[in-house]
Amino acid sequence: MKAQKTYKIRCFQQIDSTNTYAMKNLDSLCDKEVITAGIQTAGKGRLNREWVSDGQDNVYLSVVLKPCDSIHKNLPLANLTQYMSVIVCKVVEKYRVSASIKWPNDVLVNGKKIAGILSQASIQGNRLKGLVLGIGVNLNLTREAINKIDQPATALNLEIGRSVNKQPLIEELLDSFFENYELFLKTGFSLIERDYITRSDFLGKEITVNSLDKISTGVAKGFTQDGALVLVGEDSQEKIITMGDVTCS
Ligand code: BT5
């Protein structure tokens, strides 16, 4: 007998953005409710960038999380995107491709972006009302659609030479995510540290990190216990970076 799911799914054929919907309706949505869409007309990346959401058979979903009343203090919410990036890698790897992570949470195959994660929080006073974790994975895209993307990108069908069945992949993704979610809330980055590091191809390389108003260059040394990036600059000083976009020099 199949185990009962700990999450429930609300499906839309078309929506502007699953994250926008979840954030707007956060009050009425439950903890562990998932919004999925066949197509997004205004898919969002971080910092108001666009997430190209063409084509029916790709993953566009948002997970609503309300760990607010949890007894655990100091929840590792900022690391949930890193936890999800490891899950996405493992799911994609089942199709015999090797996936890597570009800090903090881009998933790449053959150096090209295949998935992105967007986390948004709603805070009222000092209370966290909820968190929306949005995941986009390119499963079935044409080369034409890929070429519209302004950085090297790919889709699973283009990597394995056949189309990919979306529903079982979504189920696998969500089952894996929720399998260790509670444990992750207790342990944080240490739970995924090894899986994360082995997939971080850029470690030991010269990189540039663009974080809002600052650009930092140096060699990527590793991660702190909290999943922040440790960069060693020309002056041999270690710099801890908590947010930004990485490019390899
Ligand atoms: C992300 O932002 O990578 C987060 C993407 C999250 C998308 C999901 S889909 C379901 C949910 N609902 C939403 O509206 N969003 C979430 P960021 O790191 O800022 O990367 C955005 C950049 O990735 C863009 O500026 C492009 O360069 C590139 N990009 C856009 N669409 C892409 C795609 N389909 N595949 C690969 N790269 C893409």
Side-chain angles (χ1 to χ4, degrees), residues 117-146:
I117 300 165
L118 169 68
S119 166
Q120 293 181 278
S122 171
I123 295 163
Q124 199 169 46
N126 58 4
R127 194 180 82 88
L128 175 75
K129 282 174 69 185
L131 195 87
V132 174
L133 199 57
I135 303 104
V137 191
N138 301 328
L139 297 186
N140 298 287
L141 285 180
T142 58
R143 293 238 175 249
E144 219 179 2
I146 286 290

Side-chain angles (χ1 to χ4, degrees), residues 2-64:
K2 271 194 170 179
Q4 182 113 34
K5 303 278 185 207
T6 53
Y7 57 89
K8 66 176 183 187
I9 301 184
R10 193 178 288 204
C11 301
F12 291 89
Q13 270 193 346
Q14 181 176 312
I15 203 167
D16 51 355
S17 144
T18 55
N19 261 51
T20 305
Y21 177 89
M23 287 297 282
K24 268 191 201 154
N25 296 284
L26 199 54
D27 286 341
S28 60
L29 292 166
C30 313
D31 181 33
K32 300 182 183 164
E33 194 158 352
V34 180
I35 314 300
T36 66
I39 213 161
Q40 295 189 122
T41 52
K44 294 193 327 182
R46 293 177 301 153
L47 305 171
N48 276 328
R49 291 186 284 229
E50 182 196 2
W51 184 255
V52 174
S53 307
D54 295 3
Q56 278 290 337
D57 289 314
N58 300 288
V59 175
Y60 309 119
L61 67 80
S62 298
V63 183
V64 173

Side-chain angles (χ1 to χ4, degrees), residues 162-200:
R162 63 181 161 84
S163 58
V164 179
N165 195 350
K166 172 170 99 164
Q167 282 318 327
L169 188 141
I170 288 184
E171 196 169 325
E172 169 111 42
L173 190 70
L174 293 171
D175 287 352
S176 312
F177 178 83
F178 284 114
E179 190 180 345
N180 286 313
Y181 166 68
E182 308 288 347
L183 181 62
F184 183 77
L185 288 185
K186 287 187 201 145
T187 53
F189 187 69
S190 64
L191 184 73
I192 53 159
E193 190 173 5
R194 213 142 67 89
D195 282 331
Y196 192 86
I197 289 175
T198 54
R199 291 173 177 83
S200 294

Side-chain angles (χ1 to χ4, degrees), residues 49-137:
R49 291 186 284 229
E50 182 196 2
W51 184 255
V52 174
S53 307
D54 295 3
Q56 278 290 337
D57 289 314
N58 300 288
V59 175
Y60 309 119
L61 67 80
S62 298
V63 183
V64 173
L65 298 168
K66 296 186 173 179
C68 329
D69 301 324
S70 157
I71 47 161
H72 319 299
K73 299 269 185 260
N74 300 321
L75 297 172
L77 300 180
N79 301 110
L80 272 172
T81 56
Q82 290 172 312
Y83 171 63
M84 181 54 101
S85 69
V86 169
I87 302 286
V88 172
C89 282
K90 289 185 174 179
V91 169
V92 162
E93 284 160 2
K94 296 212 163 142
Y95 293 77
R96 300 189 182 182
V97 294
S98 84
S100 63
I101 298 172
K102 191 171 77 156
W103 183 88
N105 48 52
D106 280 355
V107 177
L108 314 182
V109 169
N110 288 325
K112 294 170 279 183
K113 185 161 171 173
I114 197 164
I117 300 165
L118 169 68
S119 166
Q120 293 181 278
S122 171
I123 295 163
Q124 199 169 46
N126 58 4
R127 194 180 82 88
L128 175 75
K129 282 174 69 185
L131 195 87
V132 174
L133 199 57
I135 303 104
V137 191

